[in-house]
């Protein structure tokens, strides 16, 4: 691997730590409910997912801006907005409405960075390494969220507002964007061989299907972080710091999953989708029926790799379906993934309606049931596609 390519990959991975940035406040959800009792639980939960709503239009705009503005400047701007949202939230947090305003900046930063950073893999990384780097992206996103939730939980023990300092995790990405990314990235015409490869892979599914998968995967996975602190508080089995630890374990397993992704997908191909959803089922069932903290930790261990497996393959298939405009394809995936993240609290309302109570456990079980349906569906979809293409697992 050339030294220049190593630094470009390092920059991309440092940028990717922002992807799950909204999870940074997951350790303080219960504290925010207490701090703003007039707002209600749902309004506080939506603060965590609200940036995902902002990501949707901004990521689509980023896909178009990348055709005119060098990608290194777009990613640097996005990283700067992400850091600013944390500092402003720390300085000005007198009402939930003000925190929503700063969440807009966070969403704009993520929307600028993530689709551009992901598209840089196709622009700057050799085809032989792209699958592995896609897996590393999942790991980097989990590392970022893990650092934010773990240290955020510790800082929240002093005061919940200090949790927002964790958004300075975007600083290395800002610096490396300016120093390491080439100004002409993404402006070269795709090589004939790469174009042919993408057209060959197009038979595996459409970009629209990849968008739906991204939406459903993030919608169901976010049941973990959105409800974790509330669940521990309801069961009286943990504090904000232990909620941060649980989410950290969840994300640490996401790192492991991203590292193992290349080996797993080489053996099972697109069945990795079903494996990812199955892990989500098992992890959420264990969490939703937990009687003690150790069971919650176990559920996080089991379910942690699920999103990484699904999303790494979604990104690979989406890039294959995007032709020469990978940046816009990645923008669509980012938009739908964040739409799923934004809609995660909807499961709270659905579980409340089905169970007839405010208990948090049924939210995990409802999400697990939906994930089980997706695991079965993806088995049938992949089997059908393989029978059409005459391939065994790919």
């Amino acid at each position: 691997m050339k030294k220049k390519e190593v630094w470009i990959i390092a920059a991309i991975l440092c940028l990717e730590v922002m992807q799950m940035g909204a999870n940074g406040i997951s350790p303080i959800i219960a504290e925010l409910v207490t701090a703003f009792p007039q707002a209600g639980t749902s309004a506080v939960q939506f603060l965590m997912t609200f940036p995902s709503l902002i990501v949707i239009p901004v990521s689509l705009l980023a896909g178009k801006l990348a055709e005119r503005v060098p990608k290194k400047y777009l990613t640097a701007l996005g990283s700067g907005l992400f850091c600013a949202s944390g500092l402003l939230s720390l300085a000005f947090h007198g009402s939930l409405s003000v925190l929503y305003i700063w969440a807009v900046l966070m969403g704009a930063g993520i929307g600028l960075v993530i689709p551009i950073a992901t598209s840089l893999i196709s622009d700057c990384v050799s085809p032989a390494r792209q699958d592995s780097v896609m897996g590393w992206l999942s790991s980097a996103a989990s590392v970022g969220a893990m650092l934010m939730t773990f240290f955020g939980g510790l800082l929240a023990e002093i005061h919940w507002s200090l949790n927002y300092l964790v958004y300075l995790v975007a600083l290395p990405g800002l610096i490396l964007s300016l120093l390491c990314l080439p100004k002409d990235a993404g402006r070269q015409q795709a090589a004939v061989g790469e174009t042919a490869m993408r057209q060959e892979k197009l038979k595996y599914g459409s970009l629209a299907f990849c968008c739906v998968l991204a939406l459903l995967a993030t919608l169901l996975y976010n049941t973990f972080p959105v409800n974790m602190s509330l669940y521990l508080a309801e069961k009286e089995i943990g504090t904000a710091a232990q909620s941060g630890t649980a989410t950290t374990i969840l994300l640490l397993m996401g790192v492991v999953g991203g590292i193992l992704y290349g080996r797993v997908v080489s053996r099972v191909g697109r069945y990795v989708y079903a494996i990812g959803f199955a892990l989500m089922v098992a992890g959420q069932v264990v969490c939703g029926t937990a009687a003690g903290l150790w069971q919650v930790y176990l559920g996080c261990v089991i379910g942690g790799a699920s999103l990484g497996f699904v999303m790494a393959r979604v990104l690979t298939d989406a890039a294959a379906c995007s032709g020469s405009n990978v940046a816009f394809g990645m923008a669509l995936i980012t938009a739908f993934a964040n739409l799923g993240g934004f809609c995660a609290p909807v499961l709270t309302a659905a579980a409340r309606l089905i169970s007839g109570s405010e208990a948090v456990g049924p939210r995990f079980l409802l999400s697990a049931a939906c994930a089980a349906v997706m695991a079965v569906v993806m088995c049938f979809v992949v089997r059908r596609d393989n029978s059409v293409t005459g391939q065994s697992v790919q």
Side-chain angles (χ1 to χ4, degrees):
M1 189 183 298
K2 297 180 180 178
K3 185 177 180 180
K4 181 179 179 181
E5 187 179 35
V6 170
W7 280 107
I8 290 173
I9 292 174
I12 294 171
L13 295 178
C14 286
L15 290 168
E16 196 69 17
V17 301
M18 294 171 49
Q19 181 172 356
M20 300 171 71
N23 285 346
I25 66 168
S26 62
I28 61 169
I29 293 296
E31 280 74 10
L32 288 172
V33 171
T34 301
F36 306 108
Q38 71 283 0
T41 300
S42 294
V44 171
Q45 284 186 310
F46 271 115
L47 177 64
M48 180 175 163
T49 60
F50 182 67
S52 299
L53 184 64
I54 306 302
V55 168
I56 296 169
V58 175
S59 61
L60 296 175
L61 176 63
K64 291 299 183 182
L65 286 175
E67 299 173 5
R68 299 178 178 273
V69 182
K71 292 183 177 181
K72 66 184 297 176
Y73 298 137
L74 291 175
T75 54
L77 174 60
S79 300
L81 290 174
F82 190 86
C83 292
S85 72
L87 293 176
L88 288 169
S89 297
L90 173 63
F92 307 101
H93 52 264
S95 72
L96 193 63
S97 299
V98 171
L99 291 177
Y100 266 95
I101 294 174
W102 309 140
V104 171
L105 293 182
M106 182 195 301
I110 296 172
L112 281 174
V113 167
I114 299 307
I116 302 303
T118 308
S119 70
L120 285 168
I121 296 176
S122 295
D123 298 338
C124 304
V125 179
S126 59
R129 298 189 182 93
Q130 288 180 11
D131 275 342
S132 294
V133 177
M134 284 295 186
W136 298 348
L137 280 190
S138 296
S139 294
S142 295
V143 166
M146 179 178 65
L147 292 174
M148 286 184 279
T149 54
F150 179 73
F151 288 106
L154 294 179
L155 290 168
E157 293 290 299
I158 303 172
H159 190 273
W160 63 262
S161 63
L162 292 176
N163 179 89
Y164 283 100
L165 282 173
V166 299
Y167 291 123
L168 294 178
V169 73
L171 274 177
L174 190 160
I175 295 170
L176 290 179
S177 290
L178 296 174
L179 295 179
C180 302
L181 296 182
K183 290 183 65 173
D184 61 348
R187 298 189 174 191
Q188 308 94 330
Q189 293 296 320
V192 174
E194 293 179 40
T195 302
M197 178 184 67
R198 288 177 181 152
Q199 293 300 322
E200 175 67 16
K201 288 186 177 180
L202 186 61
K203 62 192 176 186
Y204 285 16
S206 67
L207 184 59
F209 186 63
C210 291
C211 289
V212 172
L213 281 177
L215 185 153
L216 292 175
T218 53
L219 168 65
L220 298 175
Y221 183 84
N222 272 282
T223 298
F224 284 112
V226 167
N227 293 286
M228 190 60 69
S229 66
L230 292 172
Y231 189 62
L232 296 187
E234 176 189 277
K235 293 286 188 178
E236 298 181 348
I237 56 176
T239 64
Q242 289 167 324
S243 171
T245 301
T247 307
T248 299
I249 292 172
L250 182 79
L251 297 168
L252 178 60
M253 294 309 298
V255 175
V256 174
I259 294 172
L260 296 178
Y261 170 78
R263 294 183 180 181
V264 173
V265 80
S266 68
R267 289 169 171 78
V268 303
R270 296 178 77 232
Y271 282 110
V272 74
Y273 284 129
I275 293 174
F277 281 115
L279 289 172
M280 199 179 298
V281 173
Q284 290 178 350
V285 167
V286 172
C287 283
T289 58
L293 187 60
W294 72 269
Q295 290 170 290
V296 173
Y297 288 164
L298 176 61
C300 292
V301 169
I302 297 171
S306 58
L307 185 65
F309 281 178
V310 174
M311 285 304 299
R313 187 66 202 200
V314 164
L315 292 172
T316 299
D317 286 351
C321 297
S322 299
S324 59
N325 197 353
V326 177
F328 187 69
M330 294 301 100
L332 281 175
I333 294 298
T334 301
F336 275 85
N338 281 275
L339 178 60
F342 172 74
C343 293
V346 172
L347 283 174
T348 297
R352 183 187 301 123
L353 181 64
I354 294 172
S355 67
S357 75
E358 296 287 340
V360 181
R363 303 172 194 176
F364 286 99
L365 299 181
L366 175 60
S367 181
C370 295
V373 172
M374 286 304 302
V376 173
V377 167
M378 290 312 300
C379 279
F380 281 109
V381 169
V382 175
R383 182 177 180 182
R384 180 203 64 189
D385 289 351
N386 288 344
S387 64
V388 171
T389 60
Q391 299 196 25
S392 57
V393 296
Q394 301 296 317

